Amino acid sequence: MPHTIPNKQVIYSKIPTTYPFPGEHLTLHESTIDLDTPLKEGEFLVKLLVLSVDPYMRARMRDPSIKSYFSALTLDKPLEGGTVSVVLRSNSEKFKEGAVVSGFGPFQEYAVVSKEAAGAYELRNGPKEIPLTNYLGNLGMPGMTAYVGLFKYGKPKKGETLYISAASGAVGQLVGQIGKILGLYVVGSAGSDDKVEYLKEIGFDEAFNYKTAGDLTKKLAETCPKGIDVYFENVGGKMLEAVLDNMNQFGRIVACGMISQYNRENPEGIHNLTLMVTKRLRMEGFIVSDSPEMKEDFIKDMSKWMLEGKIKYKETIAHGIKQTPQAMLDMLQGKNFGKQVVKVADL
């Protein structure tokens, strides 16, 4: 007899022009799934435990004709992103029943996953020692983004000044703490006073609230008195202009994201790009998936720093898959504190 149960899904239902709103662009749908459905060779059935919402997902909510490094999401299909799941049944040599796996998958409570599951790997030492949510944060894509961006593109030198925008976010808070481990003078900005206090608590030398700072060029001159050598760019727009005014000669701008521009119908322009020439600056964008060769070093170093107490990590956890659309909106509007995840079920 079939074992059919409800299966809630988060559906991408309409292309947004500004923010993706719950109930309009992202909707909750309840289908069904047969837990005893036959599995083809290499397939396994998973139950979703935790999912991740991240800024890059907004860029996938676009017209499919617009090409980018990541394909556009498909309308009327489940949203997809980083997940942690447990294997309920398996016809795969790689993943056995009971295994806890992290990877890239659909945002639905249950799913049949193929052997080609994007980047899936088993958390062999995870569940007993480290919170599962961490594998979507400091030990997941955001953590590796911080690591690759700073080391490979920032090329920091001890004693230099590192400035990070959106510094309390999933990536920014880690960039700053790695910077302190490397002996840098670290400054960050965030959008609320409690986020600024958190940055100081985890070791940032200076931090400020960009919403109440007034003139950003002057504020950066005040908080980065020796100028900026490395800028970890998460924001874009007027913040980037102010940073260019304060960059030192031969400085490096690591372009990780530009969240202030993702939900604008008309993105802002940058009016002082001549400084790129006169200061001999280097600005380079990157996508973390371009650097798989660094994953082993990242896991080794991040795990070591965590065990030594050198890395702390802040998360915002929403509970229940039905909270996913609101969690996405909150993250894009900066209402979350640290990494935004959704806990769907217990292990």
Side-chain angles (χ1 to χ4, degrees), residues 281-296:
L281 305 177
R282 188 181 78 241
M283 180 174 181
E284 187 168 0
F286 79 101
I287 303 300
V288 67
S289 57
D290 291 339
S291 304
E293 75 284 356
M294 296 183 70
K295 186 166 187 175
E296 186 175 335

Side-chain angles (χ1 to χ4, degrees), residues 25-224:
H25 306 99
L26 302 177
T27 56
L28 196 67
H29 177 70
E30 188 168 297
S31 61
T32 59
I33 187 169
D34 178 6
L35 296 185
D36 293 327
T37 186
L39 299 173
K40 298 176 183 177
E41 183 180 354
E43 290 184 334
F44 49 103
L45 173 69
V46 298
K47 176 182 179 180
L48 180 60
L49 302 176
V50 187
L51 62 83
S52 174
V53 293
D54 297 284
Y56 80 89
M57 296 169 69
R58 173 62 182 86
R60 297 191 67 199
M61 299 176 195
R62 64 178 192 273
D63 186 319
S65 66
I66 301 173
K67 303 302 180 184
S68 183
Y69 71 95
F70 212 148
S71 61
L73 289 166
T74 303
L75 284 170
D76 301 319
K77 295 291 185 181
L79 203 61
E80 54 186 23
T83 60
V84 172
S85 305
V86 60
V87 178
L88 299 183
R89 294 175 50 236
S90 179
N91 191 20
S92 166
E93 293 183 358
K94 184 176 181 182
F95 299 115
K96 302 302 182 183
E97 181 177 327
V100 178
V101 298
S102 183
F104 189 88
F107 286 3
Q108 57 189 50
E109 291 178 303
Y110 299 89
V112 173
V113 183
S114 73
K115 59 185 178 182
E116 291 83 16
Y121 65 97
E122 184 172 355
L123 308 184
R124 298 182 188 279
N125 68 337
K128 295 180 181 178
E129 301 175 15
I130 297 171
L132 291 181
T133 53
N134 278 203
Y135 286 93
L136 297 176
N138 49 336
L139 282 170
M141 181 272 292
M144 190 166 169
T145 298
Y147 187 90
V148 169
L150 187 57
F151 279 101
K152 185 173 182 178
Y153 300 95
K155 302 187 183 303
K157 304 178 184 68
K158 185 176 181 179
E160 290 187 323
T161 294
L162 165 66
Y163 171 59
I164 307 146
S165 55
S168 67
V171 175
Q173 60 180 303
L174 294 172
V175 176
Q177 291 178 88
I178 296 171
K180 289 305 300 177
I181 292 170
L182 299 178
L184 304 178
Y185 183 83
V186 178
V187 180
S189 61
S192 68
D193 292 341
D194 59 337
K195 292 179 180 179
V196 168
E197 285 305 309
Y198 171 70
L199 295 177
K200 294 178 179 178
E201 288 173 12
I202 61 175
F204 280 56
D205 295 286
E206 286 282 356
F208 65 90
N209 184 341
Y210 72 89
K211 292 181 180 178
T212 59
D215 188 313
L216 290 174
T217 296
K218 291 182 179 179
K219 190 64 179 179
L220 285 171
E222 173 190 324
T223 54
C224 305

